[in-house]
Amino acid sequence: MITLSTLLLVLAADSAISVIPRPVHVTPGPGAFVVTGTTVIVTDRATRPLGELLGDYLFPATGLRLAVRAAAPAGARVITLRLDPALTGLGAEGYRLDVTPGRITIRAPQPAGAFYAVQTLRQLLPAAIFRQARVPTAVWTIPAVSIEDFPRFRWRGIHLDVARHFMPKEFVKKLVDLAALHKLNRVHLHLTDDQGWRIEIRQYPRLTQVGAWRRQTIIGHSDRDSTKWRFDGQPHGGFYTQDDIAELVAYAQARFVTLVPEIEMPGHSQAAIASYPELGNKPDTLPVWTAWGVDENILNPSDATIRFEQNVLTEVMALFPGRWIHIGGDEAPKTQWKASPLAQARIRELGLKDEDELQSYFTRRMDEFLTAHGRSLVGWDEILEGGLAPNAVVMSWRGIDGGIAAARAGHDVVMTPGSHTYFDYYQSADTTTEPLAIGGFLPLDTVYAYEPVPAALTPDEARHVLGAQGQLWTEYIPDPKRAEYMAFPRACALAEVLWTPREAKSYPDFLARLATHLARLAVLDVNYHPLKN
Ligand code: TNX
C-alpha cells in the first residue's frame, strides 16, 4: 500500500528533477544523497579526469574539495564514476546514473556518457551549486533517482557568428560551458565574413592585420537605398591568435564539444579580398565591409585563389582536430563572375554549364582537399546548386528542402532551417519591447516543436540527418550579453529537441522544468530572455 508520506516523497523527488534536456528514463526513489566534506569521488583510470572535473564543479559553491580516489575508503559515502562495457547499448554518449541516500553511481560505456551524467548530476543539485563563491547556508542534496539516458541525435549544435561582431575568447568558453550543460556537442564558429576575418593565418598575415578591422558599422537595418545608410563612426574588430584557438579547442575538448570552424568561400569574403585584392574579380582595393546583406564582391575562381584557400585550410586543420571543416558556400551572387573574362574562360575550359557549376567546381576542389586530409567538408545548402561535391555534408538553412535533397543523395545533413533554428530572429510578437533584431519571429514554443527529421524521408534516408543546430548570426547582436539574450532559453528548447526521444517531449513539462532551470542560468550570469510571448 502506498502511504501518503511515500506519495509525497515521490512527488517531491519528482518535482526536484528538473533536468534539461529531459532524460530518457527517470525513476525517482526515496530519500536523497547529501554531499558533505567526507564524500569521496571514486573513479577508474578512464574516468579520472571526469572525477576531477566533478570535483572542480562542486568546489566553488560548496567550499568542499572532495577527494578523488581509485578505491572507496571503508564506510565512505561515495560518488563512483566508471566505464562499463556492458552498457554499450546506450551508445557513445549514453550513461546510467543511480542516486541513493548511501551512494551515487555513474556508469557509461564511454567517457562522453560519464561526462553527461556529471552534467545531469549538477542539475539535480540546488541551483546555488553554480555559484562561484561558497554558499554557506546551502545543503547539497541530490534526490534519489535512477536515470538511463542517451541522445536522439549525434549533431547537437549551436553556432556563433564572430565575424559580424567579434566575441571575446572568454565568451566562446562560456558558450562551450553552456552548450555542455545542455548536452550540446558542437559549437560552430563562423570565423570569416565580409565584415571581418577572425583567425590568425600565419602564411597570410594581412588577413588579420587588415581583414580583422572595419572602420565603422552601419546603424540599424540597411535601407535598399544606400544613400540613406548611416554609420556609427566606431572602428570594430578583433581576432583569435592561433594560441587562442588552441586554447579554445582544448577547452571544448575537455567538455566533449567539437568546434567546427567555418571559413567562408567564395561569397561572404570581402574581408579576405580587402586583405589581398588579388583574390577579387576587380582590380579595386576594397575596404572591410561596413554594412550588412548579400555582397557582390566574391572571390575569383582562379587556381591561385583555390590554392590560397587550401593553404588557409591547412592551417585551420592543424588547429582544429575535429572531423568537420565548414567552407560556407552560401549567398555567392554571380554578377561578377558573369562579367569576368577569367571566370568565363574557366567555365569554357572546364566544360561547365554556368556560374553555379563553377561554384560547385570550386567547392569540389575543397572537398577533394579536405577528404585527402581525412576531413569532411560542410557547406550551406547553396552547395547543392550546380552539383554536390561527393563527400559534402549539407546544412539546410533555406527551409528543409536542401536537407531532403542531400539526404536522398546519400549525404549527411545538419538541419538549420531559419524557421526553427535562427536565434537572431525576434522571440516576442511585440518587437517594440525587444532590442533591434534582424527580423523574423521564432518564439520558444516553435523551437520546442521542431522535428529535425523531415517527414518526406524514408527511414534509410533519415539516418543521414545527423541533427540540428541553432544559429546566432550577429549583425544585430553586438556583444556577449545580447548573444545570451537571443540564445536562451531557445537553446534549452533545441537541446531537448536534439536529445530527448520524440515521444517523451512535452511542452508543458518542459516549461515546468525550465522555471527551475532559469534559476541556474541566472546564477551562471546568463542574460536570458524572460518567459513571455
Ligand atoms: C543568411 S544563413 C546568411 C547569413 C546572415 C543570416 C541572417 C546563411 C548561410 N547566410 O550571412 O547572417 O542570413 O539571418
Side-chain angles (χ1 to χ4, degrees), residues 280-474:
N281 293 289
K282 296 176 163 186
D284 336 2
T285 301
L286 298 169
V288 176
W289 209 21
T290 53
W292 313 127
V294 178
D295 183 355
E296 292 196 345
N297 296 301
I298 72 170
L299 300 176
N300 69 51
S302 69
D303 274 328
T305 296
I306 288 173
R307 221 170 307 117
F308 176 97
E309 291 292 349
Q310 291 179 342
N311 290 341
V312 168
L313 292 180
T314 298
E315 292 195 31
V316 168
M317 285 190 286
L319 289 166
F320 292 90
R323 170 171 159 199
W324 295 277
I325 307 286
H326 202 304
I327 57 86
D330 59 307
E331 297 179 330
K334 302 301 183 306
T335 350
Q336 293 189 350
W337 283 4
K338 287 201 170 100
S340 148
L342 177 132
Q344 293 307 312
R346 291 231 88 179
I347 289 176
R348 278 194 308 277
E349 93 211 5
L350 295 163
L352 303 173
K353 195 172 90 221
D354 57 14
E355 293 75 19
D356 283 342
E357 287 199 355
L358 185 55
Q359 182 176 341
S360 282
Y361 168 79
F362 193 106
T363 307
R364 264 198 199 103
R365 294 282 302 268
M366 298 302 148
D367 183 37
E368 282 161 16
F369 183 74
L370 291 171
T371 303
H373 289 85
R375 307 300 181 97
S376 297
L377 176 146
V378 185
W380 300 108
D381 58 46
E382 283 92 334
I383 66 170
L384 281 150
E385 291 159 14
L388 197 50
N391 304 306
V393 177
V394 173
M395 280 191 176
S396 187
W397 73 278
R398 296 172 304 174
I400 62 171
D401 292 347
I404 294 172
R408 285 191 172 145
H411 289 254
D412 284 348
V413 166
V414 178
M415 300 305 289
T416 56
S419 57
H420 292 80
T421 68
Y422 270 40
F423 296 164
D424 57 338
Y425 290 4
Y426 282 106
Q427 48 199 320
S428 293
D430 178 7
T431 58
T432 60
T433 59
E434 292 292 329
L436 182 72
I438 197 160
F441 179 45
L442 177 54
L444 185 63
D445 56 350
T446 304
V447 177
Y448 194 84
Y450 182 50
E451 170 45 43
V453 177
L457 295 183
T458 66
D460 257 0
E461 293 162 350
R463 273 205 292 276
H464 286 294
V465 178
L466 300 180
Q469 72 179 25
Q471 274 52 245
L472 280 174
W473 297 106
T474 58

Side-chain angles (χ1 to χ4, degrees), residues 46-47 50 81 83 92-95 106 108-118 256:
T47 57
L50 296 170
L81 288 88
L83 294 194
E93 298 175 297
Y95 65 91
I106 287 171
Q110 290 182 42
F115 175 78
Y116 291 130
V118 167
F256 295 84

Side-chain angles (χ1 to χ4, degrees), residues 217-223 229-232 290-292 436-437 475-476:
T217 301
I218 190 167
I219 296 171
H221 289 129
S222 328
D223 199 281
W229 292 359
R230 294 287 170 272
F231 295 88
D232 66 1
T290 53
W292 313 127
L436 182 72
E475 290 97 326
Y476 300 92

